[in-house]
Amino acid sequence: MKYSHVWPIDPSAGKPPEGWPGWPNKKKFALVLQHDVDTQKGHDKCYDLIALEESLGFRSLFSIVPERYTVSESLRNDILRKGFDIGVHGLKHDGKLFLSKKIFQKRAVHINNYLKEWHSVGFSSPSMHHNLDWMHLLKIKYSISTFDTDPFEPQPDSVGTIFPFWVQRSSERTGFVELPYTLPQDHGLFIIMKETTIDIWKQKLDWIAQKGGMALLNAHPDYMNFCGKKLSIEEYPVKYYEEFLNYIKRNYAGQYWHALPKDIARFWSESMVQKSESSASSD
Ligand SMILES: [Zn+2]
């Protein structure tokens, strides 16, 4: 395959950042589960997905589009009440957010209002379009808008690391933590490539665990089939995702820090950013 030297694994992305102290409680790697909810169909399947994750002892981030479908307030409240979290996934998911700085500036105001209203500190970008510099206009602690390696994305500029990184606002001491997704997205694997096993997820997870990085999976409820009946177009059986969760539990029990993105961002700010600032100021 044309990209087999960098996908699903880019060997150079496994190097830990300078000054890396390791994950909390000496865990071997970090595990983050995230769901971009792209359509009404996906929105309406969130409760099924929450129930599945709860039954297996996992928690995740639901990234919701504010102005594309009807967002249920009780769903938002239930997500937070159950210890899951909410992120803002673009504004309209119409492919236009990053077309010009003017459009972005205008929409950033609305995105910030939703962040506040939804008690959220995180943003994920539709179709992984991104301009990390413009994104300083957002009132966020973290974003999930990049990937370690994914030559199949519309904007395929990989960040080349399986660790989070700090995005500093130039000349100011503010910024946000960027969390690249590091496991291939479900849509690419099961809808485009028509994979019928989760071997690629397992292979990549094993490598991330070995390197001590952050396993971040973005799986869409939109494409998951929960009813066990005939798959509609662009659906895959949810048992693939369930199998992935069970694989982690079975093979890595006690070895990973299962955290929400906001917890990773807080840890990163405290242990990597403030630490380097204090050592810089004492020089
Ligand atoms: Zn999306």
Side-chain angles (χ1 to χ4, degrees):
M1 194 177 73
K2 190 178 164 194
Y3 296 113
S4 51
H5 61 298
V6 288
W7 190 92
I9 291 170
D10 171 5
S12 67
K15 200 174 148 259
E18 215 176 300
W20 173 231
W23 298 107
N25 303 317
K26 297 198 164 42
K27 296 292 183 189
K28 196 171 169 190
F29 67 103
L31 172 70
V32 179
L33 302 172
Q34 186 229 351
H35 309 291
D36 281 345
V37 181
D38 282 351
T39 61
Q40 190 75 55
K41 220 173 118 187
H43 170 279
D44 297 347
K45 289 190 248 184
C46 286
Y47 278 112
D48 286 331
L49 187 47
I50 290 168
L52 171 68
E53 290 179 335
E54 272 191 316
S55 73
L56 296 172
F58 292 94
R59 297 283 179 277
S60 62
L61 170 76
F62 284 86
S63 300
I64 293 173
V65 187
E67 298 184 2
R68 191 188 206 186
Y69 46 78
T70 311
V71 181
S72 148
E73 194 182 337
S74 50
L75 173 66
R76 284 198 287 106
N77 292 336
D78 287 338
I79 287 173
L80 295 179
R81 188 174 50 78
K82 287 169 178 284
F84 290 64
D85 203 13
I86 292 186
V88 175
H89 185 36
L91 182 67
K92 299 170 187 285
H93 213 302
D94 58 1
K96 294 184 181 151
L97 182 58
F98 287 93
L99 277 186
S100 74
K101 182 136 193 206
K102 209 171 154 195
I103 294 175
F104 189 83
Q105 279 170 326
K106 220 170 142 188
R107 291 191 177 188
V109 176
H110 299 283
I111 292 172
N112 285 335
N113 288 338
Y114 286 107
L115 284 160
K116 196 171 170 206
E117 189 188 330
W118 293 0
H119 309 286
S120 172
V121 293
F123 172 79
S124 74
S125 184
S127 311
M128 295 290 148
H129 292 142
H130 51 268
N131 180 322
L132 299 180
D133 194 33
W134 295 357
M135 281 158 55
H136 286 298
L137 291 171
L138 303 177
K139 291 182 178 140
I140 52 173
K141 300 255 190 270
Y142 69 87
S143 125
I144 304 174
S145 304
T146 59
F147 35 87
D148 65 328
T149 177
D150 198 340
F152 310 108
E153 277 295 316
Q155 188 184 335
D157 52 342
S158 305
V159 294
T161 178
I162 52 168
F163 290 85
F165 58 93
W166 177 249
V167 184
Q168 172 97 24
R169 187 166 192 165
S170 53
S171 75
E172 281 177 59
R173 292 168 74 95
T174 57
F176 59 88
V177 180
E178 172 64 21
L179 281 66
Y181 72 77
T182 55
L183 285 143
Q185 292 196 37
D186 52 353
H187 184 265
L189 283 188
F190 305 125
I191 312 296
I192 311 268
M193 294 171 64
K194 299 192 174 17
E195 291 283 325
T196 53
T197 71
I198 62 160
D199 290 352
I200 293 178
W201 275 352
K202 289 179 185 169
Q203 180 200 356
K204 184 75 184 270
L205 180 80
D206 291 345
W207 181 77
I208 294 168
Q210 188 207 330
K211 295 290 174 189
M214 173 181 63
L216 192 157
L217 176 61
N218 176 8
H220 301 69
D222 310 77
Y223 308 124
M224 294 176 180
N225 178 297
F226 285 90
C227 66
K229 292 189 199 122
K230 201 175 171 297
L231 300 178
S232 15
I233 299 171
E234 300 226 307
E235 269 191 356
Y236 67 90
V238 71
K239 70 169 189 221
Y240 294 166
Y241 181 62
E242 187 175 358
E243 203 187 323
F244 175 74
L245 298 180
N246 279 318
Y247 179 81
I248 300 170
K249 278 180 80 165
R250 208 169 46 237
N251 291 279
Y252 295 103
Q255 299 179 50
Y256 55 92
W257 182 36
H258 177 35
L260 290 167
K262 64 181 176 191
D263 303 320
I264 302 267
R266 191 183 311 119
F267 164 72
W268 205 265
S269 300
E270 286 169 7
S271 67
M272 292 299 284
V273 185
Q274 290 165 18
K275 194 182 71 181
S276 69
E277 277 177 1
S278 60
S279 67
S281 57
S282 64
D283 283 346

